[in-house]
Amino acid sequence: MSEKIDLSNYVLSENDEFMNANQKAYFRAKLIAWKNDILREARETLGHLAEESANHPDLADRASSETDRAIELRARDRQRKLISKIDAAMQRIDDGTYGYCEETGEPISLKRLDARPIATLSIEAQERHERREKVYRDE
């Protein structure tokens, strides 16, 4: 199995065997790169927040700073949740369930996985899920 794969040169092909060793290595590398980007951004945010903690004498400046901080922390919280989804996707690669719809067991299209590597539902199952969610939300 090719653990080191060049993301810039590898081309996913629907003609290859689904979730072969190269595809698994490709998605693992993509997930790891995504996670590393998130962690790097989180470190930058911590540095920025530490610098920004100065007291602002002007009430409007302080309020603006607090609002920016709250938005930044909310974004980091979403990314923290995303990291757990990335870790779960890598676990699915390890246990052989990655790329298969949790609802139907059918393969998820490579295009969908390439666009959303943490996807657990096929497009059809995701659409059904969203329609049900919308119906219950509208009641």
Side-chain angles (χ1 to χ4, degrees), residues 109-136:
S109 78
L110 291 175
K111 285 182 181 178
R112 175 162 169 72
L113 288 172
D114 200 27
R116 187 83 175 148
I118 59 172
T120 59
L121 298 173
S122 66
I123 289 176
E124 298 79 15
Q126 182 69 39
E127 287 172 348
R128 280 193 305 274
H129 176 75
E130 288 172 2
R131 278 194 301 272
R132 281 192 307 263
E133 206 173 67
K134 183 181 182 328
V135 168
Y136 291 124

Side-chain angles (χ1 to χ4, degrees), residues 72-121:
E72 191 70 38
L73 290 174
R74 205 167 321 129
R76 293 296 153 239
D77 187 50
R78 276 195 306 274
Q79 289 185 328
R80 180 186 54 79
K81 292 173 184 170
L82 185 56
I83 285 175
S84 70
K85 290 180 179 184
I86 291 170
D87 289 340
M90 287 194 289
Q91 180 61 46
R92 287 193 307 278
I93 290 173
D94 291 342
D95 67 25
T97 60
Y98 182 81
Y100 294 92
C101 180
E102 287 182 344
E103 197 171 282
T104 65
E106 294 293 315
I108 299 171
S109 78
L110 291 175
K111 285 182 181 178
R112 175 162 169 72
L113 288 172
D114 200 27
R116 187 83 175 148
I118 59 172
T120 59
L121 298 173

Side-chain angles (χ1 to χ4, degrees), residues 18 22 28 53 68 92 96 98:
F18 188 71
N22 282 338
R28 178 180 300 284
S53 65
D68 291 347
R92 287 193 307 278
Y98 182 81

Side-chain angles (χ1 to χ4, degrees), residues 19-39:
M19 280 304 126
N20 62 46
N22 282 338
Q23 289 174 352
K24 287 180 182 179
Y26 171 82
F27 285 114
R28 178 180 300 284
K30 188 169 185 136
L31 288 161
I32 289 170
W34 193 9
K35 182 178 178 178
N36 288 339
D37 285 347
I38 291 170
L39 292 173

